[in-house]
Amino acid sequence: MVDTGLLDALAQGLVTGSIIAAGAIGLSLVYSIAEVPNFAHGDMITVGAYFALVVNRPAEISLLPGLPGGAVSLVAAGVFALVAASVFGALYELAIFRRFRSKEADLITMVIVSLGLALVLRNLVLFVAGSRNIAYETPVVRDVNWDLYLTGSGVTVQRTQRQAGDIALLNEWGYPIWLVLGIVVAAVAVGYGVYRWRTTDDDFRTVHLVAPRVLGVLGGLATLLALAYLLRFDPQGTEAFWSTRVGTSYKDIAIVVIVAVAMFLLNLVLKATRLGKGMRATADNMDLAEVRGVDVDRIQLVVWVIAGLLTALAGVLAGWSASNVNPNMGFTLLLPVFAAVILGGIRSPYGAAAGAILIGISMDVGVYLLPSSLATYRIAIAFVVLIGVLLVKPDGLWGDV
């Protein structure tokens, strides 16, 4: 029997970090551009999750009328949640925060306002939907296990799945030792080559759509996965001196891919559009941007719309991943989200994304390494990592980039 180990914790941490990243990027944008330390962000995540629930399982919301056409799929419900949360994001800005900003409210006032908004949103969800745990209506997704055996002659990979109470072998293959070394060397070479190619003739005016280091890592990973898929040999045996199991599902893969696509699209907006230039200018110096003709009010409205969209994305993905939507889910996510934003650099959305991945991995790896009796301190692990990094880099991983 193969047991799960560190690799499984890393894989689960990547999924957890992706969900945290969706929330952390929006929080970082709101703070850096709209200058609001938004403590209502967690409850905005909850509201986004319930927007999807309203159309996915309308019968569970007793105070709302049923839909004329009945329930819709989670994909359609997610799209509805993104649109509705974006509209609510605009309302937060127009009806609340812009009014206080026009009166030149200080930072403490903005904090108190956001805390008040958080209480209103949480109690509104409790009033409308109650305190029950509810799951989205989705097709059953079965986990697939990847069993890895490191033997004297190479590596054996088995895909297994639990069916009717037993572990069924779906397929298996292997890689000789020489091939494993060759694939790793090729992946490293491609990654380094991509990095060197993208940094050739760089100067201070160069703005990369995707950072060369990130592109190099992605190129190396793509090479590794492509060669591992194409160059599959016969199994190398299961008499292993080291073995482990990594559990995945299409749900986990979909969550990581969806968040990655959302991050890329936001990166595209920030670096390749006139709107993005205005957002970056406003984040750098709001007064100077306004003098240069940037419509600061419009920029801040757009930021709140984007933040609302990202909170809905985080809420829906968190509810889908945990098969559980409840009024406290956003507050539970708020602490890791704040930790990720501070860890990455509080004014950097890119740092927030990197910090979120690091926080997610740290939480799940920490739970794996610590005794089971300490699993309840999962979120505390995030803050231990945060403090450790800030002692070395007080500005966070990315600073203000």
Side-chain angles (χ1 to χ4, degrees):
M1 179 67 180
V2 183
D3 295 323
T4 56
L6 183 60
L7 287 180
D8 182 70
L10 288 170
Q12 295 305 314
L14 180 61
V15 178
T16 302
S18 297
I19 295 171
I20 295 173
I25 294 171
L27 181 63
S28 176
L29 284 174
V30 167
Y31 182 81
S32 61
I33 298 176
E35 297 185 339
V36 177
N38 185 21
F39 285 88
H41 203 76
D43 294 284
M44 289 169 61
I45 291 174
T46 302
V47 170
Y50 273 90
F51 275 140
L53 189 67
V54 164
V55 292
N56 178 249
R57 297 191 68 182
E60 299 294 334
I61 313 296
S62 57
L63 290 185
L64 297 180
L67 295 178
V72 302
S73 68
L74 183 58
V75 174
V79 173
F80 171 79
L82 296 182
V83 174
S86 299
V87 173
F88 265 61
L91 291 176
Y92 301 144
E93 160 66 4
L94 295 174
I96 302 174
F97 292 104
R98 180 172 295 183
R99 292 175 180 269
F100 281 92
R101 195 165 52 248
S102 66
K103 299 180 183 298
E104 299 183 353
D106 58 16
L107 184 66
I108 297 300
T109 301
M110 286 298 197
V111 169
I112 294 172
V113 170
S114 68
L115 287 171
L117 177 60
L119 292 174
V120 170
L121 292 178
R122 190 178 312 173
N123 284 282
L124 182 62
V125 170
L126 284 168
F127 176 74
V128 173
S131 60
R132 295 180 302 124
N133 294 330
I134 308 171
Y136 291 126
E137 186 68 39
T138 60
V140 176
V141 179
R142 290 186 175 180
D143 291 342
V144 175
N145 299 318
W146 302 79
D147 297 343
L148 307 178
Y149 300 87
L150 183 59
T151 67
S153 57
V155 177
T156 296
V157 180
Q158 293 182 341
R159 283 182 68 236
T160 61
Q161 189 176 64
R162 183 171 293 279
Q163 298 176 358
D166 295 323
I167 299 296
L169 177 64
L170 302 180
N171 54 356
E172 64 177 337
W173 61 92
Y175 306 96
I177 286 292
W178 60 266
L179 181 59
V180 172
L181 296 176
I183 290 175
V184 171
V185 170
V188 172
V190 169
Y192 181 72
V194 170
Y195 169 74
R196 293 293 299 171
W197 166 60
R198 294 300 293 168
T199 54
T200 302
D201 299 328
D202 272 4
D203 58 31
F204 69 94
R205 295 168 297 180
T206 304
V207 177
H208 294 285
L209 182 60
V210 180
R213 290 181 181 179
V214 175
L215 201 60
V217 171
L218 292 177
L221 287 176
T223 302
L224 182 70
L225 294 175
L227 293 178
Y229 177 76
L230 295 172
L231 303 178
R232 290 180 289 181
F233 280 57
D234 292 332
Q236 303 297 305
T238 56
E239 294 295 327
F241 52 85
W242 179 82
S243 62
T244 190
R245 167 173 290 173
V246 179
T248 62
S249 69
Y250 295 114
K251 180 193 295 187
D252 296 334
I253 297 171
I255 288 172
V256 174
V257 170
I258 290 170
V259 173
V261 170
M263 290 166 58
F264 176 77
L265 293 176
L266 178 61
N267 179 61
L268 193 64
V269 170
L270 288 174
K271 291 186 175 179
T273 68
R274 186 174 181 180
L275 173 64
K277 291 179 181 179
M279 293 169 67
R280 288 187 283 128
T282 304
D284 186 55
N285 189 314
M286 186 182 300
D287 294 330
L288 183 59
E290 195 166 15
V291 169
R292 296 288 294 176
V294 176
D295 188 343
V296 172
D297 286 340
R298 174 175 170 267
I299 292 295
Q300 291 179 338
L301 178 61
V302 170
V303 165
W304 277 99
V305 169
I306 294 174
L309 187 150
L310 289 172
T311 57
L313 182 65
V316 173
L317 293 181
W320 185 35
S321 175
S323 299
N324 177 24
V325 176
N326 65 77
N328 292 317
M329 59 182 294
F331 179 75
T332 304
L333 272 175
L334 182 63
L335 296 179
V337 164
F338 261 105
V341 170
I342 297 170
L343 177 63
I346 195 165
R347 289 184 175 272
S348 172
Y350 303 103
I357 299 299
L358 181 57
I359 289 294
I361 290 176
S362 299
M363 289 165 62
D364 284 309
V365 170
V367 169
Y368 165 73
L369 295 175
L370 293 175
S372 57
S373 59
L374 299 179
T376 54
Y377 297 99
R378 185 168 179 259
I379 294 178
I381 295 171
F383 285 89
V384 171
V385 174
L386 170 64
I387 293 170
V389 172
L390 292 183
L391 288 174
V392 179
K393 293 198 68 176
D395 291 335
L397 297 174
W398 250 254
D400 289 340
V401 179

